[in-house]
Amino acid sequence: MVDFEVVSLPETDHPTVGEIAPDFTRPLVNEEYWEDASLSSIVADGPTLLVFHPMDGAFPTTYIWKEIDERGFAADVQVVGVSISSPYEHKELLKERAADARLFSDPTAEVAAAYDVEHDLDGMAGVTEHRPAVFLLDEERTIQYAWVAGGWPEFPAYDEIAAAIDDHV
């Protein structure tokens, strides 16, 4: 049994349904290479599930991507993740899981700040990562579904995500 304490996280002012998701440009990693890409260029190709997750290797990240893979969300929408991890770390995650996903690298957590989904790590001065969060975006970056963790660790409501995908795709 894993022994850890669930911690309440501060309220956020994250983007909500009907709002336009903030655009950003960061290295986007796939199984073969990475290159700078904007979120707007990705969503222009179709509905996109934007998944914020903790650093690669953290147990919540493993569980989040395992569930997304098992549910096959990438068959219906583009799936892109974003975390503080480097492109090199993302390539390793893509080898293990995150099937058919691409991952943005946001080591300074500026994208997390724009979405108000930062999580300052206890005991790690100056280290901020992304709290789990999921946004379903249409081709104009309009948010169709939004979920942001209110506790640590907390995991997305995968059935709600599936229903949102069914409703909006």
Side-chain angles (χ1 to χ4, degrees), residues 71 73 136 145-147 156-167:
R71 289 181 178 254
F73 292 154
L136 179 61
Y145 171 84
W147 174 87
Y158 300 103
D159 289 340
E160 287 182 12
I161 295 168
I165 290 170
D166 289 344
D167 289 347

Side-chain angles (χ1 to χ4, degrees), residues 53-148:
H53 59 90
M55 66 182 77
D56 299 352
F59 85 90
T61 298
T62 300
Y63 288 114
I64 288 168
W65 285 108
K66 181 179 183 290
E67 190 70 24
I68 288 171
D69 287 350
E70 287 180 0
R71 289 181 178 254
F73 292 154
D76 298 315
V77 296
Q78 300 181 91
V79 179
V80 294
V82 59
S83 82
I84 63 169
S85 297
S86 75
Y88 297 103
E89 293 161 325
H90 279 341
K91 293 207 41 94
E92 290 303 312
L93 178 62
L94 289 168
K95 285 180 187 174
E96 297 171 10
R97 53 189 87 263
D100 301 316
R102 293 170 288 170
L103 305 173
F104 282 106
S105 179
D106 180 34
T108 60
E110 290 175 30
V111 175
Y115 282 77
D116 199 20
V117 295
E118 311 104 301
H119 172 58
D120 294 327
L121 292 176
D122 292 335
M124 299 180 107
V127 178
T128 299
E129 70 173 356
H130 302 68
R131 70 170 72 184
V134 177
F135 299 92
L136 179 61
L137 311 175
D138 69 12
E139 292 86 350
E140 280 83 42
R141 292 193 339 266
T142 303
I143 298 171
Q144 304 298 312
Y145 171 84
W147 174 87
V148 175

